[in-house]
Structure formats: structure tokens, C-alpha cells
């Protein structure tokens, strides 16, 4: 199957109001993107660095679900530590209902200590906390009644009502061996940020093979787990919103060149590419329609 192509909407590149988010989401549908994604963070910066913060991800996703019709949408990725697990499952079921079954629940353990401290959220034992949370979330979304007496999280005969129409797809955003061992028996997809594989097809292939090996270790057929890659794409290098590095050079050039890079990622085993675009504006989203057409036509 051809690569599915999505796009990440702005996080803290600049201050964006909801009217612009809605316009960008509609533009993504019209341009031919198959999914839209938002980051789940509370605060960046501090300690002498400029402070920046995005809108709350779950509320934003619900609003975007209501103003779109076709695209999948989800958090890239939701931090399990920010909310009690029962509430995460409840929010996921609600956004999936609002979207008519277009929601993908991306989950991770988080990494930015600054925002944890600022909002009074424990930063210790993040993977252990994630494991307990993940077990509650996946059970509830599967329609189970869940009881878990964990060290960090608890559930006492919890159930989701109204019952969700379906279980949203689950995606893990982590490369850590322990995180993979916890999630790969259950998730539908694995996602990797562009810096973690060097934004190159060969780097993605190597990391994807590590995921396959981890899947086999937990008794899961690697072919059952979809591979999702974030891809840094620069359409205007004067914007400076997202910085490429020598270790992770941007995919850039005309539509045919970017399409060729996406084709290389497809050949490396990716099922999905989520474009992280600089600059990320309604205009850049619409300009990328030609790139999508070039990729799908095989130019």
C-alpha cells in the first residue's frame, strides 16, 4: 500500500489562534493529507530561555474533529503522565466519537521535566507510571471493566460509559527498549521523531528493524505493527521555524524532490509519514498539495 501522509499542525513555532488552526485543518483535507496531528505539551523554556506554550492538546483535537470530515487526527504523542489513565481513556473515546471514528491515540511517557515541575506533575519513575497507565487505558478502550491496584495509578471496577463505538487505534511514540516491551504486544503502530532516525530512509530502516526485533521478543508478529515516521520538510528555509542539523538534514526542494524522499521512506518500510513542516502555515500546507500529487503519481 502507498505511504499514508499526514501533517503536524503548529505547536510553539509562533502563537496560533483557533481560527487559524481550523483553517489549516481544512486546508490539509483539501490538499489531500490523510491525517493531522498536534503535540501534547504544557510549557517549554525557562531557566533563562524564552518561555513558550501550546494550547491544551485534547481540547484542540476535539475542536478540530468537529470542523473536519475526512482526516484522521491524534496527539503526537499524548503524555500519559499528564492525566489519570481513566481520564485519558474517557477523552480518547470522546474525541473518537466526535470525529466519527477518526481518532488515533498516540501515547508516550514524556520527557520535558520543566513542564512537569511547573504544573506539579511527578517526573520520577516515568516508565513505571506509564506501564500502569497504559494497562488501564488499553483495557478500558477495549471495552473491559478494569481493576488495577498499582503503585502509581489505581482503577476500581472502572468502565467507559457510554460504551465507545470502537477501540481507537493505539500508537506508541518511543524507541526505549522497556517502553517497547510494554507496548508492542498491544499497539497498532509505532512512531518515531525525525531526529531519532536522522531524517533519512536508511536511518529509519535500521531503527524499524530494532522495533521488529523487539516485537519478536515479546511474541508479536512485526508485520502486525505499522511504522510511522515524522519527517522534517522545509518549504522555505528563511522561515527558521524548525531547524535541521547535520545529523538530521531536512527534506527540501521542489515537489518532485520531496516526493522522491517520501518514496525512499516508503521503500524503507514506513506505512505513514507525518510531515513536520517549516514554516507551518495554511499557505505551506496548500503548497504541499503538489508534492502529494507528485508522490501518488510516481513522478
Amino acid at each position: 500500500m502507498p505511504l499514508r501522509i499526514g501533517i503536524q499542525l503548529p505547536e510553539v513555532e509562533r502563537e496560533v489562534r483557533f481560527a487559524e488552526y481550523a483553517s489549516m485543518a481544512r486546508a490539509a483535507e483539501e490538499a489531500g493529507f490523510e491525517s493531522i496531528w498536534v503535540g501534547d505539551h504544557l510549557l517549554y523554556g525557562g531557566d533563562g530561555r524564552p518561555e513558550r506554550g501550546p494550547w491544551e492538546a485534547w481540547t484542540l483535537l476535539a475542536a478540530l474533529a468537529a470542523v473536519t470530515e475526512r482526516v484522521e487526527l491524534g496527539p503526537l504523542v499524548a503524555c500519559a503522565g499528564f492525566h489519570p489513565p481513566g481520564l485519558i481513556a474517557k477523552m480518547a473515546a470522546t474525541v473518537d466519537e466526535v470525529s466519527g471514528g477518526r481518532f488515533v491515540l498516540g501515547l508516550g511517557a514524556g520527557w520535558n521535566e520543566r513542564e512537569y515541575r511547573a504544573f506539579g506533575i511527578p517526573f520520577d519513575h516515568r516508565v513505571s507510571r506509564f506501564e500502569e497507565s497504559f494497562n488501564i487505558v488499553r483495557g478500558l478502550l477495549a471495552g473491559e471493566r478494569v481493576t488495577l491496584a498499582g503503585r502509581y495509578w489505581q482503577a476500581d471496577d472502572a468502565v467507559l460509559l457510554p460504551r465507545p463505538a470502537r477501540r481507537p487505534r493505539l500508537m506508541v511514540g518511543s524507541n526505549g527498549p522497556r517502553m517497547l516491551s510494554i507496548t508492542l504486544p498491544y499497539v497498532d503502530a509505532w512512531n518515531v521523531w525525525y531526529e531519532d532516525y536522522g531524517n533519512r530512509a536508511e536511518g529509519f530502516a535500521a531503527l524499524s528493524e530494532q522495533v521488529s526485533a523487539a516485537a519478536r521478543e515479546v511474541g508479536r508478529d512485526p508485520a502486525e505493527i505499522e511504522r510511522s515516521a515524522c519527517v522534517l520538510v522545509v518549504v522555505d528555509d528563511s522561515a527558521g521555524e524548525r531547524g535541521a542539523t547535520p545529523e538530521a538534514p531536512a527534506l527540501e526542494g521542489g515537489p518532485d524532490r520531496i516526493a522522491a524522499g517520501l518514496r525512499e521512506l516508503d521503500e524503507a518500510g514506513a506505512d505513514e509519514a507525518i510531515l513536520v513542516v517549516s514554516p507551518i502555515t495554511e499557505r505551506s500546507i496548500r503548497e504541499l498539495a503538489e508534492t502529494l500529487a507528485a508522490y501518488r503519481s510516481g513522478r
Side-chain angles (χ1 to χ4, degrees):
M1 294 180 62
L3 194 68
R4 298 193 311 277
I5 305 176
I7 192 163
Q8 185 188 38
L9 298 186
E11 189 179 39
V12 291
E13 293 87 346
R14 63 185 189 286
E15 187 175 292
V16 179
R17 296 288 164 169
F18 179 68
E20 185 178 357
Y21 275 110
S23 295
M24 286 190 286
R26 296 189 188 102
E29 282 200 317
E30 293 168 8
F33 284 98
E34 290 155 296
S35 58
I36 57 176
W37 304 82
V38 301
D40 182 23
H41 283 282
L42 305 175
L43 184 67
Y44 288 102
D47 298 324
R49 294 169 295 170
E51 290 186 319
R52 302 169 296 159
W55 296 109
E56 195 281 315
W58 289 91
T59 309
L60 182 58
L61 284 166
L64 293 174
V67 300
T68 54
E69 298 178 355
R70 178 185 56 78
V71 289
E72 289 187 331
L73 67 167
L76 193 65
V77 290
C79 178
F82 288 172
H83 305 281
L87 182 57
I88 292 175
K90 191 80 172 176
M91 293 188 295
T94 303
V95 178
D96 194 61
E97 174 70 18
V98 172
S99 70
R102 293 181 285 125
F103 181 69
V104 180
L105 177 53
L107 280 173
W111 58 269
N112 181 12
E113 185 175 1
R114 161 67 173 137
E115 61 192 341
Y116 280 78
R117 288 190 289 103
F119 284 82
I121 300 168
F123 189 71
D124 64 297
H125 301 97
R126 283 175 297 127
V127 177
S128 295
R129 292 175 186 275
F130 175 90
E131 183 171 19
E132 292 181 1
S133 176
F134 180 71
N135 287 332
I136 295 171
V137 170
R138 67 176 180 79
L140 288 172
L141 289 176
E144 301 170 5
R145 304 186 77 95
V146 176
T147 295
L148 187 146
R151 179 179 179 183
Y152 305 103
W153 297 111
Q154 297 78 40
D156 183 5
D157 196 27
V159 63
L160 293 184
L161 295 174
R163 293 193 177 277
R166 60 152 206 158
R167 178 183 72 77
R169 291 176 62 238
L170 298 175
M171 182 177 79
V172 60
S174 178
N175 307 315
R178 187 176 168 205
M179 286 286 291
L180 293 177
S181 71
I182 292 166
T183 57
L184 291 185
Y186 308 102
V187 295
D188 303 289
W190 160 78
N191 172 264
V192 60
W193 189 245
Y194 69 86
E195 291 174 316
D196 293 333
Y197 70 94
N199 215 46
R200 297 178 174 94
E202 59 270 25
F204 174 82
L207 196 51
S208 179
E209 181 49 44
Q210 293 179 29
V211 172
S212 293
R216 287 189 287 268
E217 288 178 4
V218 297
R220 184 82 183 276
D221 181 355
E224 296 177 352
I225 302 166
E226 294 188 354
R227 314 303 164 101
S228 171
C230 295
V231 184
L232 176 61
V233 174
V234 171
V235 297
D236 179 358
D237 60 10
S238 68
E241 285 189 353
R242 290 279 188 177
T245 66
E247 295 76 24
L251 182 57
E252 56 189 325
D256 289 352
R257 172 66 194 97
I258 297 174
L262 294 175
R263 203 165 295 115
E264 291 172 4
L265 194 62
D266 185 358
E267 293 168 356
D271 298 291
E272 176 181 52
I274 300 173
L275 306 192
V276 181
V277 181
S278 181
I280 179 62
T281 63
E282 181 180 348
R283 178 177 178 178
S284 64
I285 291 170
R286 293 190 182 281
E287 287 177 352
L288 284 165
E290 188 175 352
T291 295
L292 301 186
Y295 168 74
R296 289 167 182 152
S297 68
R299 296 206 317 256

